Amino acid sequence: MPSNSKKSAVIVGAGIAGLASARLLSENGVDVTVIEKSSGIGGHVANWGCMATSECQVCHCCSLSDIIAALDESPVRFMTGWQLESINTGVGGQLSGVIVVENESRNIREIPADALILSIGFETFDPSSKGLWGYGVLDGVITLAEFDDFIREDRLSELVPDQDAPRIAFFQCVGSRDKSIGANYCSQYCCKAGLRSAIRIKTDKPDWDVSLFYIDLQVAGKYATTLLDNAKDLGIHLVQGVPGEVFPYQGNKLGVVSEKNGLNVRDQFDRIILSVGQRPNPTAADLSRITGVGLDNFGFFRNLEGLDRFRTSEKGIYVAGACSGPMDIETTLTSAEAATADILEDLSNWREGS
Amino acid sequence: MDDIIIAQNDNAETISNINSAISETCMVCGECVSRCFLNTAYPDMNPRRLIRKIALGRAQEMVDSEFIWACTLCARCTADCPKDLRMDAIIRNVRGMAWTQGKVPARIREGIEKGKEFGNNVGMDSEEFIDTAQWIAEEMEDDAEDLPEGALDVPFDREGAEIFYVPNPREYTSNPGMFQTYLKFFAYVGADWTLSSKVFDITNWPYYMGDQEDAVDLVRLMVDEARNLGARILLTTECGHGFKILRKDAENWLDEKLDFEVLSIIELAHRYWKEGRIKLSKGSVDKKITYHDPCNVGRKVGVFEAPREILREIASEFVEMWPNRKYSVCCGGGGSVGQNSDMGAKRLEHAHYKKDQILATGADVVATSCQNCLTQLGDLQARYEMPVEIKSVIELVVEAIEHDRD
């Protein structure tokens, strides 16, 4: 590997995409600074629990701790509580550095940068905007992320405290593939995450009754069949059709109507877990103004196409992870690798040219 | 067989032979299945099955079904359909097929025929309408001391009047009390208004039947008359579909801009109140009031807050039903169901969800702003002996208007 020690990169966003990119760039001799708006690193994945039963369910959550362990040994600088303020360009519009500002003190600092990665991730869909699911209105309707806290903190037994054998339902495609809320795209992680969560419950709590309502299960890849087979073997009810309304039923139960065998049937549950999709990070609009990288119709960063899809219209600015479109952890890691490879290629070309 | 329009948007709500890529639209997500208030009354039918049947080339089964006549076109099922389908438009298309096959409920057909001949669904001519309207006004003489002078003179065909008011036939047939309520309202607000002796029916029964040709003719009549009179406001009575069609569809249907404003009387009352033209006595109706959103006024046109602001002002207590506004549950009598004698008392049995919703509020009064909803809610009250009064918002406004009683 050629040495890029005189080259530097700034990464905006310390989620798994940004951290994976930081590690790979640093390992290849690039001087890396990671800017993170919040006070901690790890993003959404840091709040996600391992889904392993007796076997690994290949959710890739644990990649984060591996990456952080490697970064601990690296010269990568972290600036948490800082945001991108503006960018500097040199001859020919080539990126030369960034100005960052600290949230509280409003201190400003200039950092040289030959490459900038936007890896600000996504925001989870707020299901209260489609009121009939009852999120925020009915107790017991929660999001997949909220459910995941019970797994991560190892307190699944507390999910339904007063029931020995509660009935749990997962609703898929909540906030995905939905024109009515401007999200006419598949979020690509939720079918697998929902299934793994259901499998995790049923493995730990065989007496619980678990249903998963779906439109069609978008589970692709080499582990797809294993996941579906596991779910079926464990007795998870996979039900086609996602109810659009949840109503209070017999006191503290949650009622739904769905179609089974050609009939409308009423069912009731103790908890309904909404597999919420990914929405663009709202700060993408600010960063678009600052960097000149456009947004697509949904509000994700607009990337270039084909082999250049981790590059953007702006020379020296790259995208990694879910800020350019919804993706799961595995795909996010791939995108970080690809963005890093593009940067290394571009940096070595520039050096030869200069 | 005509193709059915499946993908709908506000600009495409017309009946025509458009090839629809049906398999690319509905993705069988099932949202509509659970939101249809008929899902217990028709356990083997739901909006999604209807679409699938059409997709599979079995639309005729639906044409011959009772389900398309039990549907109230409330469109709650597709209120936020992930694919933007509009069930009310789809059902109207299926009914349009029934219409062309001559399979239409007798009473509705009769109303449509009368509409074509007389311009109104009760078959009343101009002379009889003028006599009836004047007689209804004269019947208020006992209350006349409460009203400003001249309040009982009903204006007809006044060119240059600001407001052209179009009533619902119920007002001069089965429910003259409603007409009196509106007359009082006009008197109290000092409206510059007129009736037409030729065009005096806001309803549009052909719309219910997917009979687009006749539906457009009726809209044309009203629009032309508003222009003849030089009105600045075409004011619709408290009629859901009549208001919705003029406000939302008329420009598309006629393919021309309307050079006057279409307002519902509830919006006018709200405007006059906000402008200070009328004063409402705060908390003067000493009742717990809830509001039923008519599907056409609320979900389809988006008038949610005006009636609520008025009711919050005049009621000693206002409570919401849940769900409400965009997700309001249909009263069960809309979309021709209330007029369709074939549906008989079924419309009351189908409306148990609405009944439960009303009872859960503990309200004394259910207010609404659609005469169709008013009739249905009144019948529901009687059928289930609910301890509530059913009132129109304008009735309550008239009770609460502060006026000079000297």
Side-chain angles (χ1 to χ4, degrees):
Chain A
M1 268 290 157
S3 164
N4 283 304
S5 58
K6 288 180 186 163
K7 297 293 180 185
S8 51
V10 169
I11 295 170
V12 181
I16 194 161
L19 297 180
S21 306
R23 178 188 141 181
L24 292 168
L25 285 171
S26 181
E27 283 171 0
N28 282 280
V30 179
D31 180 77
V32 178
T33 307
V34 179
I35 311 297
E36 168 57 45
K37 188 173 74 168
S38 73
S39 58
I41 62 167
H44 289 284
V45 180
N47 294 319
W48 209 254
C50 170
M51 284 293 150
T53 56
S54 59
E55 286 178 33
C56 170
Q57 288 207 74
V58 215
C59 71
H60 295 279
C61 281
C62 52
S63 328
L64 181 69
S65 44
D66 296 346
I67 292 166
I68 291 176
L71 285 169
D72 280 344
E73 308 294 317
S74 79
V76 171
R77 278 181 302 279
F78 287 93
M79 297 174 74
T80 53
W82 290 73
Q83 292 188 62
L84 190 70
E85 175 81 0
S86 59
I87 60 169
N88 295 334
T89 50
V91 188
Q94 174 65 45
L95 181 77
S96 62
V98 300
I99 310 284
V100 294
V101 58
E102 190 171 24
N103 294 344
E104 299 208 340
S105 66
R106 307 310 291 170
N107 285 338
I108 285 188
R109 196 173 294 174
E110 184 171 353
I111 308 168
D114 301 297
L116 174 67
I117 297 186
L118 302 174
S119 55
I120 59 169
F122 65 93
E123 182 181 75
T124 48
F125 170 66
D126 175 1
S128 58
S129 65
K130 278 184 78 160
L132 289 183
W133 277 314
Y135 181 74
V137 178
L138 299 172
D139 288 339
V141 180
I142 61 174
T143 67
L144 187 61
E146 287 161 352
F147 162 75
D148 194 83
D149 291 345
F150 289 89
I151 299 288
R152 194 180 72 251
E153 294 160 8
D154 198 20
R155 48 187 186 90
L156 184 56
S157 306
E158 295 168 27
L159 180 65
V160 192
D162 47 356
Q163 285 282 331
D164 290 337
R167 305 194 73 214
I168 313 290
F170 288 82
F171 283 11
Q172 299 303 110
C173 288
V174 170
S176 301
R177 304 166 77 194
D178 191 340
K179 230 176 172 176
S180 79
I181 47 158
N184 198 12
Y185 53 78
C186 168
S187 288
Q188 303 201 52
Y189 87 98
C190 359
C191 276
K192 284 169 281 187
L195 273 170
R196 288 187 189 109
S197 302
I199 289 169
R200 179 67 201 269
I201 294 179
K202 200 66 186 168
T203 308
D204 285 10
K205 308 283 182 190
D207 294 342
W208 293 19
D209 183 89
V210 181
S211 299
L212 184 134
F213 293 88
Y214 64 93
I215 298 176
D216 37 39
L217 284 168
Q218 308 264 345
V219 192
K222 65 179 172 180
Y223 297 108
T225 316
T226 318
L227 263 183
L228 286 171
D229 287 349
N230 283 351
K232 283 178 199 152
D233 291 347
L234 286 164
I236 293 165
H237 311 294
L238 300 176
V239 188
Q240 198 286 322
V242 181
E245 179 163 18
V246 178
F247 48 90
Y249 188 71
Q250 290 179 350
N252 56 357
K253 302 278 185 195
L254 301 163
V256 303
V257 172
S258 66
E259 189 181 327
K260 274 183 198 161
N261 302 323
L263 290 176
N264 306 325
V265 291
R266 184 175 282 218
D267 219 337
Q268 87 255 6
F269 297 96
D270 297 289
R271 290 292 177 274
I272 287 174
I273 299 167
L274 305 175
S275 293
V276 283
Q278 296 182 359
R279 304 304 309 259
N281 188 325
T283 59
D286 294 332
L287 289 174
S288 171
R289 260 194 310 279
I290 292 170
T291 61
V293 175
L295 301 178
D296 63 23
N297 294 338
F298 303 115
F300 293 109
F301 286 123
R302 190 180 288 285
N303 44 347
L304 298 183
E305 289 171 4
L307 281 174
D308 289 323
R309 67 189 189 283
F310 303 96
R311 295 185 170 95
T312 68
S313 59
E314 306 305 302
K315 206 172 169 195
I317 305 183
Y318 306 79
V319 286
C323 62
S324 66
M327 52 184 78
D328 61 11
I329 300 173
E330 186 177 5
T331 316
T332 298
L333 292 171
T334 310
S335 80
E337 290 163 26
T340 305
D342 288 348
I343 290 172
L344 294 173
E345 182 191 356
D346 292 346
L347 290 180
S348 61
N349 287 343
W350 296 332
R351 189 175 46 193
E352 281 160 20
S354 60
Chain B
M1 187 176 72
D2 289 346
D3 292 314
I4 307 283
I5 309 172
I6 291 302
Q8 286 290 342
N9 57 48
D10 290 346
N11 295 324
E13 207 176 323
T14 51
I15 312 287
S16 61
N17 302 338
I18 295 176
N19 269 319
S20 55
I22 193 166
S23 55
E24 290 173 21
T25 50
C26 175
M27 59 173 178
V28 289
C29 75
E31 188 167 277
C32 54
V33 174
S34 51
R35 290 179 171 193
C36 176
F37 75 96
L38 296 170
N39 61 23
T40 47
Y42 297 85
D44 60 348
M45 261 317 292
N46 59 53
R48 181 171 80 165
R49 279 179 83 77
L50 180 130
I51 289 186
R52 296 324 293 165
K53 282 185 192 244
I54 297 168
L56 294 168
R58 290 156 62 190
Q60 189 60 39
E61 274 180 42
M62 296 320 305
V63 171
D64 295 327
S65 74
E66 185 178 277
F67 189 72
I68 62 165
W69 305 110
C71 171
T72 59
L73 311 180
C74 82
R76 181 176 191 263
C77 59
T78 49
D80 31 40
C81 169
K83 291 293 183 188
D84 258 0
L85 301 181
R86 305 288 167 93
M87 193 50 60
D88 50 341
I90 293 167
I91 294 281
R92 289 204 308 115
N93 276 267
V94 180
R95 288 183 181 178
M97 291 174 66
W99 169 257
T100 55
Q101 295 173 19
K103 296 169 180 167
V104 163
R107 172 141 187 261
I108 312 284
R109 171 175 293 282
E110 194 187 320
I112 292 176
E113 296 301 335
K114 283 182 178 159
K116 285 162 90 162
E117 191 181 343
F118 295 92
N120 61 75
N121 69 38
V122 290
M124 193 178 271
D125 64 24
S126 291
E127 203 178 326
E128 194 183 351
F129 173 61
I130 293 173
D131 286 351
T132 310
Q134 283 173 340
W135 170 75
I136 296 171
E138 282 159 18
E139 287 290 296
M140 292 200 297
E141 258 167 11
D142 290 349
D143 304 332
E145 59 203 42
D146 231 18
L147 298 169
E149 203 166 326
L152 302 186
D153 301 331
V154 183
F156 289 96
D157 305 325
R158 274 187 57 227
E159 282 184 30
E162 183 192 13
I163 295 167
F164 165 35
Y165 171 69
V166 188
N168 181 303
R170 293 163 203 255
E171 293 164 44
Y172 43 86
T173 56
S174 57
N175 195 357
M178 283 303 289
F179 189 60
Q180 293 176 335
T181 298
Y182 300 126
L183 291 178
K184 284 181 195 166
F185 173 76
F186 290 135
Y188 287 146
V189 302
D192 173 18
W193 73 292
T194 188
L195 286 166
S196 159
S197 65
K198 294 182 279 298
V199 180
F200 44 87
D201 178 1
I202 193 69
T203 69
N204 195 319
W205 287 14
Y207 167 83
Y208 290 148
M209 293 302 113
D211 166 16
Q212 190 66 8
E213 203 183 315
D214 292 329
V216 173
D217 285 349
L218 289 178
V219 169
R220 169 56 71 196
L221 270 182
M222 261 180 280
V223 167
D224 285 351
E225 185 65 355
R227 285 180 181 146
N228 289 340
L229 292 167
R232 289 208 303 280
I233 296 172
L234 194 167
L235 186 69
T236 76
T237 185
E238 292 178 287
C239 172
H241 80 291
F243 168 57
K244 178 258 181 186
I245 291 168
L246 281 168
R247 174 75 151 257
K248 201 175 165 193
D249 303 326
E251 290 192 340
N252 290 326
W253 288 5
L254 302 176
D255 195 23
E256 62 190 45
K257 281 270 166 222
L258 299 188
D259 29 25
F260 49 83
E261 203 178 1
V262 174
L263 281 184
S264 87
I265 195 165
I266 196 176
E267 290 176 303
L268 188 76
H270 183 261
R271 180 184 289 182
Y272 283 173
W273 171 51
K274 287 289 169 186
E275 287 173 357
R277 190 160 163 178
I278 52 173
K279 278 206 167 62
L280 299 175
S281 174
K282 195 170 172 58
S284 61
V285 180
D286 190 18
K287 301 264 171 65
K288 187 174 176 179
I289 299 184
T290 188
Y291 178 68
H292 162 73
D293 286 282
C295 307
N296 281 300
V297 178
R299 183 157 43 240
K300 295 187 191 176
V301 175
V303 177
F304 297 119
E305 303 313 320
R308 287 179 164 79
E309 286 177 21
I310 289 173
L311 293 172
R312 280 200 193 94
E313 179 76 8
I314 64 184
S316 59
E317 190 183 353
F318 179 79
V319 287
E320 289 282 7
M321 299 183 206
W322 174 259
N324 56 51
R325 291 181 174 80
K326 180 182 176 186
Y327 300 121
S328 167
V329 177
C330 179
C331 66
S336 82
V337 173
Q339 288 77 27
N340 179 354
S341 39
D342 295 355
M343 287 312 297
K346 280 187 180 173
R347 66 185 162 92
L348 303 180
E349 308 310 313
H350 292 171
H352 54 88
Y353 192 169
K354 188 82 237 175
K355 180 252 306 176
D356 293 344
Q357 222 191 354
I358 290 171
L359 290 176
T361 63
D364 309 310
V365 177
V366 181
T368 192
S369 196
C370 164
Q371 292 185 28
N372 205 55
C373 296
L374 281 168
T375 304
Q376 168 78 0
L377 292 173
D379 292 348
L380 278 183
Q381 186 280 325
R383 161 69 182 78
Y384 294 105
E385 297 176 353
M386 292 191 284
V388 293
E389 277 180 275
I390 311 294
K391 289 205 162 183
S392 116
V393 175
I394 298 297
E395 272 182 277
L396 290 161
V397 165
V398 166
E399 282 178 31
I401 287 181
E402 289 182 4
H403 52 85
D404 190 0
R405 290 171 203 262
D406 288 348

